[in-house]
Structures are given as C-alpha cells and as structure tokens.
C-alpha cells in the first residue's frame, strides 16, 4: 500500500531488515541473541550475588573484590577553600593541575599542563621515573609562579595502579599495569622516592593524598552535586568507589573508629565473580580469560570493559567463519581478522553508529580495515552482534551500581561516571538506565513523574574531573582533618601542614569559616 505525504524517519538504532537474511544466518543470529542477552531475572540474581561479594570484601577474611579503604573520610561540603595541586599519572601522559577553590560553594578554577610520558621511561629505572615527574612539577611551578615566593603547595597524586594503602599519604604498589614495568617499585611505598626527587630539586610541594581515579571521580562529582553517591569508571577497565560506614567494615573494626564515620571504599570491582558462580559467560568469554596475561582474574571487567569488547566481537566472527554450516566471509582472506586484539571498542561504536539502512559505513570499514567484503546478510549479523555485545556490557555494568544502591539502601542517587565506554559508546547510558529500571523495579520516576532522563530515581551521569579536581579536593579534605586533629589513616600529619598556608591558624586555606 503506498501513501503520499512525508514518511516518519526511521529511528537510528534499528533492528535492520532481516527479511533478506538466509535461514542459516538467521539461526546463528538467534543463537547469538540467546548467548549474549541477560534477562531481568538474571540481572537480579547477579545483583544479589554482587551485594554479598561487596560485603565479603569488607570482611576480615576478604573475598575476590578487594574493597580497599582509601582513608578519604567523608564527602566535601562544597565550602572548602585554598589552592591545591593535582598530579595524574596515566598510561601515556602526565597531567599537572592547579586548582583554586574559591569562597563560592561548589566552584573551582583550574589551570593545567600535560607532559608526554616517554615510552622508554616505562621500562627504565625507578630513579628516572621519579626524576622525570619531579622535573615536570618543577617546570609547572616555574611557568605559572615565576618569581613568586611560595608556601609549600599540598598535592593530590592520582596514582591509578593497584596499591595497598594503610595511610592516605602512602601507597605500596602491588603490580604495574598500563605497560609499565619498572624494576624495584612493586612491593614498595612509592611516596618516599617521589618526595626525595622533589626535595632534591627544592620544589615547594608536599604530597598530601595518594588516590585512585575512581575515588577522585566520586569526590569531584559530589563537590558539585551533593546527590552523587557513587563514582564509576567504564572505560578500558572498570571500577567504582562509594562511601561506607565503619560499622559495615569488619576488617577495620580493630581501629575502634566511630561506627558512624564514613570512609571512601575503592571497590576494584573488576574482580567480581572470579569464581565464575553467576556471570553468564559464553565460550568466547572463556577464551578471552584463558589467553589473557592473568587468567582467572578480573572476570567482571573482561565481560564489560572497553579493552575486551572488540576482542569478543572478533572471536565470534572468527568462530562463525570457521563453522562449516555458517561460513561467513566464505572464500576470503581473513588473516587480518585473526589477529588478537586488532579491533577495539571504537570499532563496535562505529558499527552501532552506522546511520545507513544498507550499513554502507560498516561495509567500508570491514573492507579498509580487515580486507573483507561483506554480503548484505553478513552486515546484518555484524550489526546485531555489535548491539548484543554493547548491550550486555551496559546491562552488566548496571548490576554493580544497583548492588551498591541496594547495599546502602539508596532509593534515589546520582552516580558520577567517567571513561571512554560511558562517554563515547552509543546507547550505553540508555541501556544502563533500562537495566537499572528492571533490577530496581521502578514503575514511576521521582516525585511521581514519568520515568526518563532527569526523573529516574537512580541516574548515571557524566562525572566531574576525578583525577584532577578530585585529587585536589581529597588533598583539601585531608588537610582539613589534620587541622581538626582527626589524623586517622594519615602517616605524617605534622609534616603535611609544615610550611603550607594551612599551618597558619588565621589562614582560610581549607578550613572555611562557617557561612
């Protein structure tokens, strides 16, 4: 039946036209849908197990999820003041920020510089690493404060490598990640050599807090939005941080802290379900784990994080090519597709973002990147597979958020999220929101409004800058505790104040007058 007049535009996220897909491929698509779809009942079962695993990580015996205490005690009020530095040591760059917290509540000013981390430094010596970082900080100070007589500036150092912390101003590196392999650093406290390099150059800086980027994300987000209760990273890896009461942390009971006192916990939840009890792993997930540098570890992360999404997709396509009854890409050279980790999450993003009904962009990408010419039904399968893997990642990610909300009894909350998958992967936010709705049984939004953006009881929103602003704020909160005489989890409280503006009782740095 034909009709005149304007036709409604088809939605971009489309199922594709399966009418032309041969029966054997349709069966394959159905099999993949069954493999990768996580229904509501399964989501709820995962969340229940997740809650018990979070609690186990806080127990004396411990569990798979490390649940590391960060010694960042409590949220900011928004009234913190003063000037702080933040240092963020990532995998490719070193970022130095100076953050000024003015009198206005929840406001901040920031200046920053980036310095490239030379590749040879990552496998060099410890002395070279600390010397290079100290040189960058010295350059930053000289450039932005030329000729000024400075008090010692408090520094928050975002050191996003697995570290054990008994105090906020120290950290023992457990193991290098992100391509670093410097001898003589693992198993040692990273703070003394770092401070020695600063001392040697006479740089007026005092390390006040060593933090993880996820904890920084939590604190920075809550500074500008007091409803923020959880900080998450959904990127190359995955993680979350939230505030827990000491009464819920048996492994810290010996410290005799007020049970109502809160402390930020860096979950390191990529390790959830390392025992393989609940997550719906496919044969492809098993291969990823088996061939990874550390089999049996980071089970949750390997199913949802950006580093693995492209590899999952690649493994499925290679398997389908090799199945005699399916034979996709028949008679073609698939050697490029057989190269492990040759496809990243952005490859899947591009497929899901392809706006054309005939999937022309996907066809072009396969041709240029993998030298594979796709038939139309194969393109439909490729698109559906990308949707399935992307959707599973978002739905499983939501399980961790829901678990913390249920554990803490949060009926409403904002969750600050950062990372490339959260920020760039198409539909990730909407799919995560849909999963939360199913898990937490929402039928209406806040104040009885209809569900949807802005009204969902728990919303995952873009976070503030955790590794910059968050690190500076945690330095501020730590100094404030020293000023108040609350020195739990601080190794060198006297040295922390010495020579800084905060040591002057009349100074407004950090401890703001009540407004």
């Amino acid at each position: 039946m034909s009709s005149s007049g304007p036709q409604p535009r088809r939605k971009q996220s489309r199922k594709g036209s399966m009418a032309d897909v041969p029966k054997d491929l349709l069966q394959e698509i159905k099999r993949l849908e069954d493999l990768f779809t996580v229904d509501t009942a399964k989501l709820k079962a995962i969340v229940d197990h997740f809650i018990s695993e979070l609690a186990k990580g806080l127990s004396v015996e411990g569990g798979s999820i490390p649940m590391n205490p960060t010694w960042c005690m409590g949220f900011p009020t928004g009234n913190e003041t003063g000037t702080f530095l933040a240092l963020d040591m990532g995998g490719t760059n070193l970022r130095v920020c100076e953050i000024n917290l003015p009198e206005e509540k929840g406001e901040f000013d920031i200046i920053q510089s980036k310095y490239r981390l030379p590749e040879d430094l990552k496998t060099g010596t410890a002395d070279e690493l600390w010397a290079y970082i100290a040189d960058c900080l010295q350059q930053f100070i000289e450039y932005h404060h030329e000729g000024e007589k400075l008090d010692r500036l408090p520094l928050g150092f975002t050191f996003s490598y697995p570290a054990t912390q008994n105090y906020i101003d120290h950290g023992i590196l457990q193991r290098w990640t992100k391509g670093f392999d410097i001898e003589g650093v693992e198993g040692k406290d990273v703070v003394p050599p770092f401070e020695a390099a600063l001392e040697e150059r006479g740089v007026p800086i005092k390390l006040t807090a060593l933090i993880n980027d996820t904890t920084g994300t939590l604190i920075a987000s809550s500074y500008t939005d007091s409803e923020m209760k959880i900080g998450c990273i959904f990127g190359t890896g995955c993680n979350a941080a939230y505030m827990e009461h000491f009464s819920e942390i048996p492994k810290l009971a010996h410290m005799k802290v007020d049970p109502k006192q809160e402390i930020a916990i860096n979950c390191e939840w990529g390790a959830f379900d390392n025992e393989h009890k609940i997550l719906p792993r496919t044969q492809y997930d098993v291969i990823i784990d088996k061939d990874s540098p550390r089999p049996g570890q980071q089970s949750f992360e390997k199913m949802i994080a950006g580093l693995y999404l492209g590899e999952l997709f690649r493994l499925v396509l290679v398997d389908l090519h090799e199945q005699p009854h399916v034979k996709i890409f028949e008679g073609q050279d698939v050697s490029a597709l057989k190269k492990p980790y040759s496809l990243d999450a952005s490859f899947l993003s591009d497929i899901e973002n392809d706006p054309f009904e005939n999937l022309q962009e996907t066809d072009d990408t396969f041709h240029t990147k993998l030298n594979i010419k796709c038939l139309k039904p194969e393109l439909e399968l490729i698109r559906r597979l990308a949707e399935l893997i992307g959707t599973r990642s978002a739905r499983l990610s939501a399980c961790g958020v829901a678990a913390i909300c249920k554990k803490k009894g949060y009926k409403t909350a904002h969750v600050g999220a950062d990372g490339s998958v959260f920020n760039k992967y198409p539909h990730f936010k909407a799919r995560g929101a849909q999963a939360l709705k199913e898990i937490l049984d929402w039928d209406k939004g806040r104040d009885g409004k209809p569900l949807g953006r802005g009204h969902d009881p728990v919303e995952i929103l873009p976070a503030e800058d955790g590794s910059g602003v968050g690190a500076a704020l945690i330095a501020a909160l730590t100094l404030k505790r020293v000023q108040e005489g609350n020195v739990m989890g601080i190794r060198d409280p006297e040295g922390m104040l010495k020579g800084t503006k905060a040591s002057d009782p009349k100074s407004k740095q950090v401890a703001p007058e009540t407004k």
Side-chain angles (χ1 to χ4, degrees):
M1 186 181 84
S2 66
S3 64
S4 55
Q7 296 296 304
R9 190 164 167 267
R10 277 190 82 160
K11 285 223 313 261
Q12 206 140 315
S13 171
R14 38 56 120 214
K15 271 278 199 283
S17 156
M18 294 290 178
D20 313 328
V21 178
K23 202 157 168 220
D24 58 345
L25 273 197
L26 272 178
Q27 279 171 339
E28 235 10 80
I29 289 169
K30 173 81 178 76
R31 183 183 74 86
L32 292 171
E33 285 177 341
D34 292 345
L35 262 185
F36 284 99
T37 301
V38 190
D39 65 18
T40 308
K42 184 66 174 173
L43 290 175
K44 288 182 170 181
I46 292 167
V47 170
D48 288 344
H49 188 58
F50 216 129
I51 295 167
S52 66
E53 287 297 302
L54 293 171
K56 198 189 275 184
L58 295 171
S59 71
V60 177
E61 304 74 41
S64 286
I65 307 178
M67 302 297 277
N68 296 330
T70 63
W71 304 105
C72 167
M73 318 274 260
F75 286 112
T77 61
N79 294 325
E80 291 73 15
T81 54
T83 301
F84 303 88
L85 292 180
L87 169 66
D88 177 14
M89 180 176 149
T92 45
N93 293 319
L94 204 61
R95 181 168 66 120
V96 182
C97 313
E98 182 177 304
I99 287 130
N100 180 48
L101 306 174
E103 302 266 317
E104 294 80 30
K105 185 169 180 167
E107 295 289 319
F108 61 86
D109 302 306
I110 180 167
I111 50 174
Q112 56 186 326
S113 300
K114 273 189 178 168
Y115 304 89
R116 190 119 195 101
L117 271 173
E119 275 304 310
D120 55 350
L121 207 64
K122 294 185 178 183
T123 50
T125 68
D127 286 349
E128 286 166 350
L129 175 71
W130 304 122
Y132 181 77
I133 294 173
D135 286 342
C136 292
L137 284 164
Q138 186 170 26
Q139 268 181 43
F140 181 89
I141 296 275
E142 284 171 357
Y143 181 77
H144 292 291
H145 297 280
E146 202 181 344
E148 290 178 43
K149 172 90 182 76
L150 289 179
D151 293 301
R152 280 171 95 200
L153 288 165
L155 171 85
F157 183 178
T158 302
F159 185 75
S160 294
Y161 302 85
T164 308
Q165 283 188 279
N166 298 322
Y167 305 95
I168 198 161
D169 48 346
H170 100 137
I172 294 163
L173 176 69
Q174 292 165 351
R175 63 179 188 277
W176 282 119
T177 55
K178 302 178 196 177
F180 276 85
D181 192 13
I182 299 171
E183 269 184 45
V185 186
E186 291 183 336
K188 296 207 174 100
D189 187 350
V190 298
V191 175
F194 170 69
E195 294 214 301
L198 291 175
E199 198 82 21
E200 205 178 299
R201 287 158 182 74
V203 185
I205 287 174
K206 175 65 189 162
L207 184 132
T208 307
L210 189 76
I211 74 150
N212 179 283
D213 57 350
T214 318
T215 315
T217 297
L218 169 68
I219 297 301
S221 301
S222 73
Y223 178 71
T224 55
D225 172 3
S226 58
E227 274 208 72
M228 287 283 181
K229 298 282 187 266
I230 303 169
C232 291
I233 307 286
F234 302 118
T236 311
C238 68
N239 197 10
Y242 75 104
M243 283 290 168
E244 189 56 276
H245 292 97
F246 270 84
S247 58
E248 301 296 314
I249 314 175
K251 66 181 176 184
L252 296 182
H254 62 283
M255 301 194 77
K256 311 268 190 291
V257 180
D258 175 357
K260 293 197 284 295
Q261 171 67 53
E262 286 187 308
I263 182 170
I265 297 291
N266 166 26
C267 300
E268 295 292 351
W269 73 11
F272 169 60
D273 200 35
N274 281 350
E275 308 79 15
H276 309 317
K277 284 184 180 165
I278 190 81
L279 288 172
R281 296 204 311 160
T282 65
Q283 69 260 43
Y284 309 109
D285 296 297
V286 173
I287 295 169
I288 281 191
D289 183 45
K290 188 167 61 63
D291 294 345
S292 70
R294 292 191 164 87
Q297 291 182 26
Q298 301 299 92
S299 284
F300 186 52
E301 184 163 277
K302 284 169 182 164
M303 291 180 77
I304 68 171
L307 181 59
Y308 306 102
L309 298 181
E311 181 64 0
L312 260 175
F313 176 79
R314 189 193 71 78
L315 286 169
V316 176
L317 291 183
V318 169
D319 181 42
L320 294 183
H321 171 72
E322 289 172 351
Q323 295 282 349
H325 65 288
V326 186
K327 296 191 199 146
I328 59 168
F329 316 140
E330 199 172 0
Q332 299 198 57
D333 174 11
V334 295
S335 51
L337 184 66
K338 287 197 166 175
K339 190 166 166 252
Y341 288 92
S342 52
L343 307 181
D344 59 14
S346 67
F347 192 85
L348 270 72
S349 289
D350 292 344
I351 295 169
E352 285 220 51
N353 273 327
D354 187 341
F356 296 109
E357 201 54 48
N358 63 356
L359 298 171
Q360 186 59 51
E361 283 182 3
T362 305
D363 196 14
D364 294 345
T365 307
F366 264 72
H367 196 223
T368 52
K369 186 148 183 176
L370 298 167
N371 199 24
I372 290 173
K373 203 75 197 97
C374 300
L375 301 169
K376 177 76 169 59
E378 292 169 347
L379 287 170
E380 293 295 349
L381 180 142
I382 285 163
R383 168 67 162 240
R384 189 71 189 112
L385 177 60
E387 288 173 354
L388 287 168
I389 290 172
T391 301
R392 187 185 76 162
S393 166
R395 285 172 73 80
L396 290 177
S397 296
C399 290
V401 173
I404 292 177
C405 288
K406 285 186 88 164
K407 181 180 190 314
K408 296 301 296 171
Y410 297 145
K411 293 282 180 259
T412 61
H414 286 167
V415 177
D418 206 350
S420 50
V421 174
F422 178 77
N423 290 322
K424 294 183 183 156
Y425 198 93
H427 320 300
F428 186 87
K429 299 180 180 74
R431 289 163 175 169
Q434 173 60 33
L436 284 177
K437 173 179 179 252
E438 292 171 37
I439 296 163
L440 300 170
D441 295 314
W442 299 332
D443 50 8
K444 54 179 181 292
R446 294 181 179 220
D447 307 323
K449 293 186 172 122
L451 287 165
R453 194 177 294 174
H455 303 314
D456 284 357
V458 176
E459 268 205 287
I460 307 179
L461 303 166
E464 284 292 344
D465 165 23
S467 52
V469 178
L473 279 163
I474 292 172
L477 291 173
T478 306
L479 270 186
K480 190 172 172 182
R481 286 210 287 127
V482 175
Q483 286 174 326
E484 292 165 353
N486 174 7
V487 296
M488 172 75 58
I490 300 171
R491 187 170 57 179
D492 181 20
E494 285 80 37
M496 205 174 271
L497 283 184
K498 201 168 148 196
T500 68
K501 240 195 189 87
S503 61
D504 175 1
K506 293 193 205 64
S507 160
K508 276 194 174 176
Q509 173 116 5
V510 177
E513 289 156 26
T514 46
K515 301 194 174 177

